[in-house]
Amino acid sequence: MHLATSYHPQNKHEDTILSPLRRITFVDRWLWAVLLGVMGLGAYAYSRQWVFGLGVTGMNRPVYWGVYITNFVFFIGLAHSGTFISAILRLAGAGWRKPLTRAAEAITLFSLPFGVASILIDMGRPDRVLNVIFYGRFQSPLLWDFTAVSLYLFSSVVFFYLSLLPDIALCRDRLTEAPLWQQRVYGFLAFGWQGRPEQFHRLERVLDGMAIFMTMLVVTVHTVVSWVFGMTVQPGWHTALIGPFFLLGAIFSGTAAVVIALAILRRVYHMQEVLTVSLFNSLRKLLIVFTLGWLYMMVAEHLTQFYGSLPDEMEVFWQKFTGAFAPLFWLMFLIVFVLPLIIFVFLGKNRIGWMVAASVLINVGMWLERFLVIVPTETRPRLVSTLMAGMGNYQPTWVEGAITASLFAGMVLLYAVFTRLFPVVPIWETAEAVEAETLPARPRRSLFGMRRSR
Amino acid sequence: MSIGEAIRAFFTSAGPGGMVVITVIGLAATVYFLLTRWILRGGEQNEEERRRFK
């Protein structure tokens, strides 16, 4: 049992934020069942791959990376949303980010494991994954990747947990009507948090410090992910620009994912007063900047390639612009840049539906962009003349489709369950500033008004 | 073995890379554990004093 001396910040929206936690609806159970069904289909597809090998996929010589590695890069990119919103904007002192930090961090937390899973799924022999530890050699970018992604996942969990801690304690104290197992989970995870001013003070200091570290990590992680490609001497990959290009794309798609998640939460959980339209407008401005930044990167990348006109590079270049991948490439350009920019500038202001539409387009387009970075180079590698008849093609199979669908279903499922168990808007961070006269003992900060728990 | 050879061996031998991974994650785990404990212990003394004067 928790002590009776727990104190919590006063937040007028507390009941609204906690209401999704008070009951699980029939629709929730159906949604979870459907998502589990999709995951089951993915598990069946993977069992086929396990038994018959990677031959059941569309991968072949020399296309060794296909949809799975596209998913890996995409999920790691999505994971940048939380760190961007929570850490980078925290450092920038952007106060408006507070209501949306947790929803963004949750995307980070629940997309990273599926990024890691994509790598394991892509391995012909996943049982050998621990060889990275036993026989790892640091000259391999794959090991840099393993180190960076592991540290990022671990740090994200800690960063997320620490910012959730005061709200877990609040759930422990407020949700006394919740099932016993749920109350025990809150009691365990709260670790005796009592909401003392000094605890809040220290928590803020640690989160500020971690925000700096997380910002460095976010740059490192996606740069290292890009180096898995960039450190090879393959056309289209071997460029110094690939790191910043991947990083910007990651933050771009991650921020668009936050808009989608927030809009759904706002509608489903009736949080119109908490997640206000002005928040979406702020994100809209950021997305306009990112859209233009992405265009800049695209032009810089492809103009350099075109101007150099190296034969190997141009094989890949023309594959994208006029060859087999041209329809996908121009579709990607349309839905990542043209349509979103038009929507954000002319239609999106104060209209959440339009912003969500643009964000969905951006995310579909960014997945395609990852695909177009990876596959055209694989089908036209350096020394393209060594390709024999029938080589250099890639057509994903139903196995890859089913596994991809199951990964996305898994991420949505974890997110949906999370929103029913923990406050999806940080209650303590969005608490009103109240004079500290009600503090229990020698207050050191006046940010939070405290009151005894019920 | 010269320093240059030792550095080269670090990068090209099978094994040291894995040790780096374990060291990095282990160090992070230790730091995060200590920070979490430090946060949770915040104001413990004040609370004790308050109880004593009650």
Side-chain angles (χ1 to χ4, degrees):
Chain A
M1 286 294 289
H2 64 88
L3 298 171
T5 50
S6 295
Y7 296 92
H8 301 293
Q10 289 178 354
N11 189 323
K12 65 180 176 185
H13 298 301
E14 187 182 295
D15 285 337
T16 310
I17 299 169
L18 287 182
S19 68
L21 283 61
R22 296 189 191 280
R23 72 189 184 98
I24 295 167
T25 63
F26 182 70
V27 177
D28 284 316
R29 292 179 204 280
W30 263 105
L31 175 69
W32 298 354
V34 169
L35 292 170
L36 276 173
V38 177
M39 290 183 76
L41 178 68
Y44 171 70
Y46 185 68
S47 72
R48 302 277 298 175
Q49 182 181 310
W50 180 273
V51 172
F52 297 106
L54 285 171
V56 297
T57 68
M59 289 186 281
N60 57 76
R61 289 176 66 197
V63 185
Y64 305 112
W65 290 345
V67 166
Y68 296 150
I69 298 299
T70 305
N71 291 338
F72 162 65
V73 180
F74 183 76
F75 277 120
I76 300 288
L78 275 191
H80 284 43
S81 58
T83 317
F84 173 71
I85 299 286
S86 200
I88 299 179
L89 293 184
R90 184 187 190 92
L91 290 177
W96 58 266
R97 77 187 160 87
K98 286 181 180 174
L100 47 95
T101 50
R102 188 157 304 143
E105 286 168 15
I107 295 177
T108 299
L109 201 67
F110 300 131
S111 60
L112 265 178
F114 293 99
V116 175
S118 299
I119 293 283
L120 295 177
I121 291 166
D122 188 64
M123 292 177 71
R125 291 285 304 273
D127 53 306
R128 292 181 175 176
V129 68
L130 287 179
N131 286 359
V132 173
I133 300 289
F134 298 137
Y135 308 109
R137 55 181 73 202
F138 227 69
Q139 75 198 122
S140 165
L142 290 176
L143 196 68
W144 310 345
D145 212 27
F146 187 82
T147 313
V149 173
S150 306
L151 185 61
Y152 186 47
L153 178 60
F154 188 36
S155 303
S156 296
V157 171
V158 174
F159 192 63
F160 183 73
Y161 170 71
L162 288 179
S163 65
L164 188 61
L165 191 50
D167 288 345
I168 296 175
L170 186 130
C171 292
R172 174 197 65 192
D173 297 340
R174 297 276 194 274
L175 300 178
T176 48
E177 77 284 7
L180 191 61
W181 68 266
Q182 199 172 333
Q183 291 184 46
R184 281 186 178 159
V185 169
Y186 293 141
F188 174 73
L189 291 177
F191 277 112
W193 174 272
Q194 290 181 274
R196 292 187 291 263
E198 183 63 19
Q199 284 183 322
F200 276 113
H201 177 63
R202 290 184 179 186
L203 180 63
E204 288 274 14
R205 282 180 68 186
V206 169
L207 288 177
D208 282 346
M210 277 195 78
I212 298 171
F213 181 61
M214 294 297 288
T215 304
M216 290 192 298
L217 262 184
V218 96
V219 174
T220 308
V221 167
H222 223 70
T223 305
V224 171
V225 166
S226 78
W227 283 348
V228 171
F229 305 93
M231 292 300 166
T232 66
V233 284
Q234 293 292 355
W237 293 353
H238 192 55
T239 159
L241 199 60
I242 198 165
F245 197 0
F246 266 50
L247 180 65
L248 184 80
I251 293 177
F252 184 27
S253 64
T255 308
V258 171
V259 171
I260 300 168
L262 284 178
I264 294 171
L265 293 171
R266 186 176 190 268
R267 169 68 70 90
V268 175
Y269 296 149
H270 310 292
M271 291 189 176
Q272 284 81 355
E273 287 185 16
V274 187
L275 302 171
T276 58
V277 178
S278 65
L279 283 178
F280 288 84
N281 282 332
S282 300
L283 288 172
R284 169 181 150 267
K285 289 173 195 163
L286 279 176
L287 284 167
I288 290 173
V289 174
F290 292 151
T291 312
L292 294 170
W294 179 85
L295 178 72
Y296 162 73
M297 286 289 184
M298 280 291 280
V299 172
E301 165 93 358
H302 289 101
L303 188 62
T304 311
Q305 266 183 349
F306 180 73
Y307 217 76
S309 286
L310 296 172
D312 289 339
E313 296 277 351
M314 294 316 286
E315 281 280 347
V316 176
F317 182 91
W318 291 122
Q319 278 265 86
K320 289 187 201 174
F321 277 77
T322 56
F325 293 95
L328 277 183
F329 180 82
W330 292 112
L331 173 68
M332 179 270 292
F333 189 77
L334 186 73
I335 63 179
V336 170
F337 175 70
V338 181
L339 293 179
L341 196 63
I342 291 171
I343 291 173
F344 285 137
V345 173
F346 298 109
L347 303 166
K349 191 175 182 184
N350 298 326
R351 291 150 110 180
I352 294 173
W354 278 111
M355 282 189 254
V356 171
S359 300
V360 170
L361 289 176
I362 287 170
N363 267 296
V364 174
M366 286 308 292
W367 190 92
L368 284 177
E369 199 243 21
R370 299 335 195 176
F371 184 83
L372 288 165
V373 166
I374 296 166
V375 177
T377 295
E378 296 252 279
T379 56
R380 293 291 181 275
R382 196 171 293 281
L383 300 177
V384 69
S385 57
T386 59
L387 291 180
M388 290 185 284
M391 292 173 79
N393 298 305
Y394 174 65
Q395 191 72 43
T397 63
W398 74 269
V399 172
E400 288 160 287
I403 290 175
T404 300
S406 75
L407 294 177
F408 281 95
M411 191 188 83
V412 175
L413 177 66
L414 288 183
Y415 200 95
V417 172
F418 171 80
T419 62
R420 284 293 183 189
L421 292 178
F422 296 96
V424 79
V425 173
I427 297 174
W428 71 277
E429 280 197 280
T430 55
E432 300 89 32
V434 177
E435 285 303 315
E437 58 199 22
T438 54
L439 288 176
R442 285 201 303 147
R444 291 194 184 182
R445 51 185 296 131
S446 58
L447 183 61
F448 302 109
M450 306 289 180
R451 68 183 182 208
R452 272 179 194 282
S453 64
R454 285 198 290 253
Chain B
M1 184 186 273
S2 69
I3 294 175
E5 283 173 341
I7 293 171
R8 185 182 165 78
F10 171 81
F11 283 101
T12 55
S13 304
M19 290 306 296
V20 172
V21 177
I22 292 170
T23 308
V24 168
I25 303 297
L27 202 64
T30 309
V31 170
Y32 293 151
F33 170 75
L34 292 174
L35 283 175
T36 307
R37 200 176 63 164
W38 180 69
I39 292 169
L40 289 169
R41 287 187 174 174
E44 247 176 19
Q45 280 185 330
N46 295 342
E47 198 75 9
E48 283 299 315
E49 282 171 25
R50 196 171 67 89
R51 284 200 193 120
R52 214 176 298 150
F53 284 111
K54 257 187 174 178

